[in-house]
Amino acid sequence: MSLLVVGSVAFDAVSGPRGSVDRMLGGSATYFAVAASYFTPVRVVGVVGDDFEEEHHQVFLDHGICTEGLERAPGKTFFWSGVYSQDMNERRTLDTQLNVFASFQPKLPPHYRQSPYLFLGNIDPELQSLVQDQMESPELIGADTMNFWIEGKRKELEKTLRNIHALIINDSEARQLSGEWNLAKAARAIRALGPHTVVIKRGDNGASLFRDGETFSTSALPIEEVCDPTGAGDSFAGGFMGYLASQRTAVDNLSRSTLRRAIIYGSVMGSFAVERFGLERLRHLSQEEIAARFQEFRHLTHFE
Amino acid sequence: MSLLVVGSVAFDAVSGPRGSVDRMLGGSATYFAVAASYFTPVRVVGVVGDDFEEEHHQVFLDHGICTEGLERAPGKTFFWSGVYSQDMNERRTLDTQLNVFASFQPKLPPHYRQSPYLFLGNIDPELQSLVQDQMESPELIGADTMNFWIEGKRKELEKTLRNIHALIINDSEARQLSGEWNLAKAARAIRALGPHTVVIKRGDNGASLFRDGETFSTSALPIEEVCDPTGAGDSFAGGFMGYLASQRTAVDNLSRSTLRRAIIYGSVMGSFAVERFGLERLRHLSQEEIAARFQEFRHLTHFE
């Protein structure tokens, strides 16, 4: 079933202990869409500038991603550059140029409005609400957010949260949003704000799902040679939402085992994302590789 | 099969958001021994002072723990006091009084020397070596250490490590010992120092086992009301080593599934330890409660 994602499409410059790349396609919607495309048809809503060329567009097309909602505006595409610490544990932003993204007002092509699955990437919560308002009645709405909005647009974010089903955020964001250090308590507090499901990404410590009467946790695959963590969280969300959308079940009928598999597929896509710079690894996966890595997670975590 | 532990027996004063206790029985050997006693017969080597009374001795006896190796010295028992932060994420030591522990020289009763399983608790690596020298030929030697020894007695610690099988430490210690932030790399580096098995405890993020051709990770049980984290790591080690000792297999024959279950039993005992102050919860467990919590870990982490 169709999965609509709204978020940033960007050019990134990344450097770290494994090398650097001056300019490559990135952005939360891009990582999400490419990861999700292995599971389900994806539609993307975002904005790009004059510097978004055919080769960049082709990345989406190669994955069967519908780009009808990808607006082209005069000016430059959103640009971000950052540097990772020697141990890959910290990231410092060097430069953020919003460019055409500064005046982005998401407009959904008419047939996008019936998309049964929606993911609101990490953008201004007012824009997230604007997208929600244009949708007819999606069966499952997932969302992401970040410290910047939690701090600066709390009220608007709370409005978005009231109307979503699943929030997918990282541990520090969960702590900041809830005011609770303990993640089980944090998830409970966030669920009280609206979403019935809270997924907390814990980086190389794994991910946890909290839902009424259900908690599931997975460890992350130990990867010795992390090349570039950029987009890992968005790829996780893409795998998670993409798998759920592929199951064609209404939100009330999501079984425990479907949700658990979705967390694993999210982790699978996140683990691929970090192996190379940018989309390099994520773009060239086979269904066999995805299935094999799913089994690696089973091997990593199961006991008799 | 008999499991011998050498380490500290102490009185602790602990305070945190859930209350405080002025003085209670603690110490790494105590937590380890009580946790392990649910799985296998345990012998303890340590030192206590005049203030160690019958009621404290009774805690060991209640668990069938042999205290013949628990030396009584004139003076006071090791005393530690600490305070946990409001979010339970940080611990600050307020006071450490080594007392009789300052001149502790572990002496093994003759029949202890044949113990097939040995755990060297977190004490001066020179004392750890001293214990190793007194043993005949234990089948499995596990050990713990801490930042203080990694920093101050690196050479002596490396000597200990050359002659142990399994090192059970937390993530920050693994990083400090190896100089690697990435835990898979850290485990590889530590294994090169001697131990064929490295268990890394990641607090409320779970635990991982690294061994030749084998990696296993479990998540921690999300516990909303952590009362007192003191001794959780020692209880983990006790559950891990205690379960292995109960399996009566030589170290070369430890099966993958046995090792995995040992990690889960370690996690089970650690999860009980934090629920109440000190040994309060750990002392009063039934085999049924342990079995039920083992199943909770399965429920938390398995997927189809």
Side-chain angles (χ1 to χ4, degrees), chain A residues 188 223-224 260 299 302, chain B residues 182 188 224 260 299 302:
Chain A
R188 180 186 298 279
I223 297 177
E224 288 196 32
R260 289 173 172 232
H299 185 81
H302 282 215
Chain B
N182 180 300
R188 180 186 297 279
E224 288 196 32
R260 289 172 172 232
H299 184 81
H302 281 216

Side-chain angles (χ1 to χ4, degrees), chain A residues 87-89 171 175 181-185 188 202 204-208 210 213-220 222-226 256-257 260-261 264 294 297-304, chain B residues 87-89 171 175 181-185 188 202 204-208 210 213-220 222-226 256-257 260-261 264 294 297-304:
Chain A
D87 59 19
M88 286 284 183
N89 187 44
D171 44 7
R175 287 177 172 133
W181 179 271
N182 179 300
L183 292 179
K185 279 189 188 173
R188 180 186 298 279
R202 291 178 284 117
D204 59 3
N205 281 310
S208 297
F210 298 90
E214 168 74 354
T215 306
F216 174 65
S217 282
T218 187
S219 301
I223 297 177
E224 288 196 32
E225 298 303 335
V226 171
R256 213 173 71 192
S257 57
R260 289 173 172 232
R261 278 196 296 272
I264 301 301
F294 186 92
F297 273 88
R298 189 191 304 275
H299 185 81
L300 175 72
T301 59
H302 282 215
F303 54 90
E304 285 155 34
Chain B
D87 59 19
M88 286 284 183
N89 186 44
D171 44 8
R175 287 177 172 134
W181 179 270
N182 180 300
L183 292 179
K185 280 189 187 173
R188 180 186 297 279
R202 291 179 283 118
D204 58 4
N205 280 312
S208 297
F210 297 89
E214 169 74 355
T215 306
F216 174 66
S217 283
T218 187
S219 301
I223 296 177
E224 288 196 32
E225 298 303 336
V226 171
R256 212 173 71 192
S257 57
R260 289 172 172 232
R261 278 194 296 271
I264 300 301
F294 186 92
F297 272 88
R298 188 190 305 275
H299 184 81
L300 176 72
T301 59
H302 281 216
F303 54 89
E304 286 155 32

Side-chain angles (χ1 to χ4, degrees), chain B residues 22 24 28 36 43 52 68 96-97 109 118 162 195-196 200 202 220 243 252 254 259 268 278 289:
Chain B
D22 280 352
M24 61 188 180
S28 65
R43 297 159 168 172
F52 186 83
E68 225 174 295
T96 304
Q97 300 170 15
L118 168 65
R162 276 196 290 280
H196 57 57
I200 299 181
R202 291 179 283 118
Y243 176 73
D252 296 339
L254 286 174
L259 282 162
V268 162
E289 286 175 309

Side-chain angles (χ1 to χ4, degrees), chain A residues 181-198:
Chain A
W181 179 271
N182 179 300
L183 292 179
K185 279 189 188 173
R188 180 186 298 279
I190 294 167
R191 289 179 54 226
L193 298 174
H196 58 55
T197 300
V198 173

Side-chain angles (χ1 to χ4, degrees), chain B:
Chain B
M1 282 171 124
S2 282
L3 168 57
L4 173 62
V5 55
V6 52
S8 61
V9 175
F11 290 115
D12 293 339
V14 167
S15 72
R18 302 285 302 277
S20 64
V21 173
D22 280 352
R23 186 173 180 270
M24 61 188 180
L25 184 61
S28 65
T30 312
Y31 281 103
F32 181 97
V34 171
S37 73
Y38 288 96
F39 302 92
T40 203
V42 180
R43 297 159 168 172
V44 61
V45 168
V47 62
V48 295
D50 309 320
D51 52 355
F52 186 83
E53 291 172 37
E54 210 34 51
E55 56 170 316
H56 308 121
H57 189 202
Q58 195 60 43
V59 172
F60 291 86
L61 299 182
D62 285 347
H63 287 82
I65 299 164
C66 175
T67 56
E68 225 174 295
L70 197 58
E71 188 188 328
R72 281 158 187 274
K76 282 189 161 186
T77 301
F78 184 16
F79 177 80
W80 174 84
S81 87
V83 57
Y84 288 90
S85 61
Q86 199 59 32
D87 59 19
M88 286 284 183
N89 186 44
E90 280 168 35
R91 180 170 88 173
R92 192 159 50 89
T93 290
L94 297 176
D95 192 9
T96 304
Q97 300 170 15
L98 289 179
N99 298 331
V100 296
F101 201 74
S103 52
F104 177 47
Q105 291 284 315
K107 282 173 289 293
L108 273 52
H111 68 283
Y112 273 31
R113 295 165 194 237
Q114 288 131 34
S115 304
Y117 284 75
L118 168 65
F119 186 72
L120 302 166
N122 166 25
I123 55 173
D124 186 332
E126 292 192 69
L127 300 188
Q128 289 180 323
S129 286
L130 202 61
V131 173
Q132 282 172 310
D133 293 345
Q134 295 174 63
M135 294 292 288
E136 284 184 5
S137 57
E139 290 182 27
L140 180 65
I141 309 178
D144 186 10
T145 192
M146 69 184 292
N147 51 1
F148 187 71
W149 311 121
I150 297 171
E151 240 175 81
K153 293 220 174 177
R154 174 106 203 169
K155 222 177 92 186
E156 294 81 355
L157 178 59
E158 286 186 0
K159 184 177 171 231
T160 301
L161 290 177
R162 276 196 290 280
N163 297 301
I164 68 158
H165 304 106
L167 185 67
I168 305 165
I169 54 179
N170 70 35
D171 44 8
S172 67
E173 291 157 354
R175 287 177 172 134
Q176 191 188 3
L177 178 57
S178 65
E180 296 281 359
W181 179 270
N182 180 300
L183 292 179
K185 280 189 187 173
R188 180 186 297 279
I190 294 167
R191 288 178 54 225
L193 299 173
H196 57 57
T197 300
V198 173
V199 175
I200 299 181
K201 298 171 286 184
R202 291 179 283 118
D204 58 4
N205 280 312
S208 297
L209 177 140
F210 297 89
R211 201 167 192 240
D212 190 25
E214 169 74 355
T215 306
F216 174 66
S217 283
T218 187
S219 301
L221 211 62
I223 296 177
E224 288 196 32
E225 298 303 336
V226 171
C227 185
D228 175 17
T230 313
D234 303 312
S235 305
F236 177 101
F240 178 79
M241 290 290 297
Y243 176 73
L244 288 183
S246 77
Q247 296 304 294
R248 302 169 174 272
T249 49
V251 64
D252 296 339
N253 293 328
L254 286 174
S255 72
R256 212 173 71 192
S257 57
T258 300
L259 282 162
R260 289 172 172 232
R261 278 194 296 271
I263 292 287
I264 300 301
Y265 281 116
S267 305
V268 162
M269 302 316 278
S271 77
F272 281 126
V274 305
E275 289 183 349
R276 302 266 173 84
F277 277 100
L279 291 156
E280 211 42 54
R281 182 77 175 102
L282 214 55
R283 275 180 65 189
H284 301 107
L285 292 171
S286 67
Q287 291 296 338
E288 290 68 29
E289 286 175 309
I290 293 170
R293 187 146 296 184
F294 186 92
Q295 293 308 323
E296 276 187 68
F297 272 88
R298 188 190 305 275
H299 184 81
L300 176 72
T301 59
H302 281 216
F303 54 89
E304 286 155 32

